Coordinates of all heavy atoms in Angstrom, one line a residue:
H14 N 0.8 -1.2 0.0 CA 0.0 0.0 0.0 C 0.9 1.3 0.0 O 0.6 2.2 -0.7 CB -0.9 0.0 1.2 CG -2.1 -0.9 1.1 ND1 -3.3 -0.5 0.6 CD2 -2.2 -2.2 1.3 CE1 -4.2 -1.5 0.6 NE2 -3.5 -2.6 1.0
A15 N 1.9 1.2 0.8 CA 2.8 2.4 0.9 C 3.5 2.6 -0.5 O 3.5 3.8 -1.0 CB 3.9 2.2 1.9
A16 N 3.9 1.6 -1.1 CA 4.6 1.7 -2.4 C 3.7 2.2 -3.5 O 4.0 3.1 -4.3 CB 5.2 0.4 -2.8
K17 N 2.5 1.6 -3.6 CA 1.6 1.9 -4.7 C 1.0 3.3 -4.4 O 0.7 4.1 -5.4 CB 0.5 0.9 -4.8 CG 0.9 -0.4 -5.3 CD 1.5 -0.3 -6.7 CE 1.7 -1.6 -7.4 NZ 2.3 -1.5 -8.8
G18 N 0.8 3.7 -3.2 CA 0.4 5.1 -2.9 C 1.4 6.1 -3.3 O 1.1 7.2 -3.8
A19 N 2.7 5.8 -3.0 CA 3.7 6.7 -3.5 C 3.8 6.8 -5.0 O 4.1 7.9 -5.5 CB 5.1 6.1 -2.9
V20 N 3.6 5.7 -5.7 CA 3.6 5.7 -7.1 C 2.5 6.7 -7.6 O 2.7 7.5 -8.6 CB 3.4 4.3 -7.7 CG1 3.1 4.4 -9.2 CG2 4.6 3.5 -7.5
R21 N 1.3 6.6 -7.0 CA 0.2 7.5 -7.3 C 0.6 9.0 -7.2 O 0.4 9.8 -8.2 CB -1.0 7.2 -6.5 CG -2.2 8.1 -6.6 CD -3.3 7.6 -5.7 NE -4.4 8.6 -5.7 CZ -4.7 9.5 -4.8 NH1 -3.9 9.6 -3.7 NH2 -5.7 10.3 -4.9
T22 N 1.1 9.4 -6.1 CA 1.4 10.8 -5.9 C 2.7 11.2 -6.6 O 2.8 12.4 -7.1 CB 1.5 11.2 -4.4 OG1 2.4 10.2 -3.7 CG2 0.1 11.1 -3.8
M23 N 3.7 10.3 -6.7 CA 4.9 10.6 -7.5 C 4.5 10.9 -9.0 O 5.1 11.8 -9.6 CB 5.9 9.5 -7.4 CG 7.3 9.8 -8.0 SD 8.4 8.4 -8.2 CE 7.9 7.3 -6.9
T24 N 3.6 10.2 -9.5 CA 3.1 10.4 -10.9 C 2.6 11.8 -11.0 O 3.0 12.5 -12.0 CB 2.0 9.4 -11.2 OG1 2.6 8.0 -11.2 CG2 1.4 9.7 -12.6
K25 N 1.8 12.3 -10.1 CA 1.3 13.6 -10.2 C 2.4 14.7 -10.1 O 2.4 15.7 -10.8 CB 0.2 13.8 -9.1 CG -1.0 13.0 -9.2 CD -2.0 13.2 -8.1 CE -3.1 12.3 -8.2 NZ -3.9 12.4 -9.5
S26 N 3.3 14.5 -9.2 CA 4.4 15.4 -9.1 C 5.2 15.6 -10.3 O 5.5 16.7 -10.8 CB 5.3 15.0 -7.9 OG 6.4 15.8 -7.8
V27 N 5.6 14.4 -11.0 CA 6.4 14.5 -12.2 C 5.6 15.0 -13.3 O 6.1 15.7 -14.2 CB 7.0 13.1 -12.5 CG1 7.9 13.1 -13.7 CG2 7.9 12.6 -11.3
A28 N 4.3 14.7 -13.4 CA 3.4 15.2 -14.4 C 3.4 16.8 -14.4 O 3.5 17.4 -15.5 CB 2.0 14.7 -14.2
L29 N 3.4 17.3 -13.2 CA 3.5 18.8 -13.1 C 4.9 19.3 -13.5 O 5.0 20.3 -14.2 CB 3.2 19.2 -11.7 CG 1.7 19.0 -11.2 CD1 1.6 19.3 -9.7 CD2 0.7 19.7 -12.0
A30 N 5.9 18.6 -13.1 CA 7.3 19.0 -13.5 C 7.5 19.0 -15.0 O 8.2 19.8 -15.5 CB 8.3 18.1 -12.7
W31 N 6.9 18.0 -15.7 CA 7.1 17.9 -17.1 C 6.0 18.4 -18.0 O 6.0 18.1 -19.2 CB 7.4 16.4 -17.4 CG 8.7 15.9 -16.8 CD1 9.7 16.6 -16.3 CD2 9.2 14.5 -16.8 NE1 10.8 15.8 -15.9 CE2 10.5 14.5 -16.2 CE3 8.6 13.3 -17.2 CZ2 11.2 13.4 -16.1 CZ3 9.4 12.2 -17.1 CH2 10.6 12.2 -16.5
A32 N 5.0 19.1 -17.4 CA 3.9 19.5 -18.2 C 4.2 20.3 -19.4 O 3.5 20.3 -20.4 CB 2.9 20.3 -17.3
L33 N 5.3 21.1 -19.3 CA 5.8 21.9 -20.5 C 7.0 21.3 -21.2 O 7.6 22.0 -22.0 CB 6.1 23.3 -20.0 CG 4.9 24.1 -19.4 CD1 5.3 25.5 -18.9 CD2 3.7 24.2 -20.4
E34 N 7.3 20.1 -20.8 CA 8.5 19.4 -21.4 C 8.1 18.4 -22.5 O 9.0 17.7 -23.0 CB 9.3 18.7 -20.3 CG 9.7 19.7 -19.2 CD 11.0 20.4 -19.5 OE1 11.6 20.1 -20.6 OE2 11.5 21.2 -18.7
G35 N 6.9 18.3 -22.8 CA 6.5 17.4 -23.9 C 6.3 15.9 -23.4 O 6.3 15.0 -24.2
V36 N 6.2 15.8 -22.1 CA 6.1 14.4 -21.5 C 4.8 14.4 -20.6 O 4.8 15.1 -19.6 CB 7.3 14.0 -20.7 CG1 7.2 12.5 -20.2 CG2 8.6 14.1 -21.6
R37 N 3.9 13.5 -20.9 CA 2.7 13.3 -20.1 C 3.0 12.1 -19.1 O 3.7 11.1 -19.5 CB 1.5 13.0 -20.9 CG 1.1 14.1 -21.8 CD -0.1 13.8 -22.7 NE 0.2 12.7 -23.6 CZ -0.2 11.5 -23.5 NH1 -0.9 11.1 -22.4 NH2 0.1 10.6 -24.4
V38 N 2.5 12.2 -17.9 CA 2.8 11.2 -16.9 C 1.5 10.8 -16.2 O 0.8 11.7 -15.6 CB 3.8 11.6 -15.8 CG1 4.2 10.5 -14.9 CG2 5.0 12.2 -16.5
N39 N 1.0 9.6 -16.3 CA -0.2 9.2 -15.7 C -0.1 7.8 -15.0 O 0.9 7.1 -15.2 CB -1.3 9.0 -16.8 CG -1.6 10.3 -17.5 OD1 -2.3 11.1 -16.9 ND2 -1.1 10.5 -18.7
S40 N -1.0 7.5 -14.1 CA -1.0 6.2 -13.4 C -2.3 5.4 -13.8 O -3.3 6.0 -14.0 CB -0.9 6.4 -11.9 OG -2.0 7.2 -11.4
I41 N -2.1 4.1 -13.8 CA -3.2 3.2 -14.0 C -3.3 2.4 -12.7 O -2.3 2.0 -12.1 CB -3.0 2.3 -15.2 CG1 -3.2 3.0 -16.5 CG2 -3.9 1.0 -15.1 CD1 -3.1 2.2 -17.7
H42 N -4.6 2.2 -12.3 CA -4.8 1.5 -11.0 C -5.7 0.3 -11.3 O -6.9 0.4 -11.2 CB -5.5 2.5 -10.0 CG -4.7 3.7 -9.7 ND1 -4.2 3.9 -8.5 CD2 -4.3 4.7 -10.5 CE1 -3.5 5.0 -8.5 NE2 -3.6 5.6 -9.7
P43 N -5.1 -0.9 -11.5 CA -5.8 -2.1 -11.8 C -6.5 -2.6 -10.5 O -6.0 -2.4 -9.4 CB -4.8 -3.1 -12.2 CG -3.6 -2.3 -12.6 CD -3.6 -1.1 -11.7
G44 N -7.6 -3.2 -10.7 CA -8.3 -3.9 -9.6 C -7.7 -5.4 -9.5 O -6.5 -5.6 -9.8
F45 N -8.5 -6.3 -9.2 CA -8.1 -7.7 -9.1 C -8.0 -8.3 -10.5 O -9.1 -8.4 -11.2 CB -9.0 -8.5 -8.2 CG -9.2 -7.9 -6.9 CD1 -10.4 -7.4 -6.4 CD2 -8.1 -7.8 -6.0 CE1 -10.6 -6.9 -5.1 CE2 -8.2 -7.2 -4.7 CZ -9.5 -6.8 -4.3
V46 N -6.8 -8.6 -11.0 CA -6.6 -9.0 -12.4 C -6.1 -10.5 -12.4 O -5.3 -10.9 -11.6 CB -5.6 -8.1 -13.1 CG1 -5.3 -8.6 -14.5 CG2 -6.1 -6.7 -13.1
D47 N -6.6 -11.2 -13.4 CA -6.3 -12.6 -13.5 C -4.9 -12.8 -14.1 O -4.8 -13.0 -15.4 CB -7.4 -13.3 -14.3 CG -7.3 -14.8 -14.3 OD1 -6.4 -15.4 -13.6 OD2 -8.1 -15.5 -14.9
T48 N -3.9 -12.8 -13.3 CA -2.5 -13.0 -13.8 C -2.0 -14.3 -13.1 O -2.6 -14.8 -12.2 CB -1.6 -11.8 -13.4 OG1 -1.5 -11.7 -12.0 CG2 -2.2 -10.5 -13.9
P49 N -0.8 -14.7 -13.5 CA -0.2 -15.9 -12.8 C -0.1 -15.8 -11.3 O 0.0 -16.8 -10.6 CB 1.1 -16.1 -13.5 CG 0.9 -15.5 -14.9 CD 0.0 -14.4 -14.7
I50 N 0.0 -14.6 -10.8 CA 0.1 -14.4 -9.4 C -1.1 -14.9 -8.7 O -1.1 -15.3 -7.5 CB 0.3 -12.9 -9.0 CG1 1.6 -12.3 -9.6 CG2 0.2 -12.6 -7.5 CD1 1.8 -10.8 -9.5
M51 N -2.2 -15.0 -9.4 CA -3.5 -15.5 -8.8 C -3.5 -17.0 -8.6 O -4.4 -17.5 -8.0 CB -4.7 -15.1 -9.7 CG -5.0 -13.6 -9.6 SD -5.8 -13.2 -8.1 CE -7.2 -14.3 -8.1
D52 N -2.5 -17.7 -9.2 CA -2.6 -19.1 -9.2 C -2.7 -19.7 -7.8 O -3.4 -20.7 -7.6 CB -1.4 -19.7 -10.0 CG -1.5 -19.5 -11.5 OD1 -2.6 -19.1 -12.0 OD2 -0.4 -19.7 -12.2
E53 N -2.0 -19.1 -6.9 CA -1.9 -19.7 -5.5 C -3.2 -19.5 -4.8 O -3.4 -20.2 -3.7 CB -0.8 -19.1 -4.7 CG -0.8 -17.6 -4.6 CD 0.5 -17.0 -4.1 OE1 1.5 -17.0 -4.9 OE2 0.5 -16.7 -2.9
V54 N -4.1 -18.6 -5.2 CA -5.4 -18.5 -4.5 C -6.6 -18.9 -5.4 O -7.7 -18.8 -5.0 CB -5.6 -17.0 -4.1 CG1 -4.5 -16.6 -3.1 CG2 -5.6 -16.0 -5.2
R55 N -6.3 -19.4 -6.6 CA -7.4 -19.7 -7.5 C -8.2 -20.8 -6.9 O -7.7 -21.8 -6.4 CB -6.8 -20.2 -8.9 CG -7.8 -20.0 -10.0 CD -7.1 -20.3 -11.4 NE -5.9 -19.5 -11.6 CZ -5.9 -18.2 -12.0 NH1 -7.0 -17.6 -12.2 NH2 -4.7 -17.6 -12.2
G56 N -9.6 -20.6 -7.0 CA -10.5 -21.6 -6.4 C -10.7 -21.6 -4.9 O -11.3 -22.5 -4.4
T57 N -10.1 -20.6 -4.3 CA -10.2 -20.5 -2.8 C -11.2 -19.4 -2.5 O -11.7 -18.7 -3.3 CB -8.8 -20.1 -2.2 OG1 -8.5 -18.8 -2.6 CG2 -7.7 -21.1 -2.7
E58 N -11.5 -19.3 -1.2 CA -12.4 -18.3 -0.6 C -11.8 -16.9 -0.9 O -12.6 -16.0 -1.1 CB -12.6 -18.5 0.9 CG -13.4 -19.8 1.2 CD -13.6 -19.9 2.7 OE1 -13.1 -19.0 3.5 OE2 -14.3 -20.9 3.1
F59 N -10.5 -16.8 -1.0 CA -9.9 -15.5 -1.2 C -10.2 -15.0 -2.6 O -10.5 -13.8 -2.8 CB -8.4 -15.5 -1.0 CG -7.7 -14.1 -0.9 CD1 -8.0 -13.3 0.1 CD2 -6.9 -13.8 -1.9 CE1 -7.4 -12.0 0.1 CE2 -6.3 -12.5 -1.9 CZ -6.6 -11.6 -0.9

């Protein structure tokens, strides 16, 4: 949570810093996504 929260606000800070530099900076916030990481909980109550 700490890491992903920092990514969220760091994104905004750099977006402002680079707003006139020709670089856009945005964040994507996925929910629960079916990736191989899910294999260990697949079919469980979680």
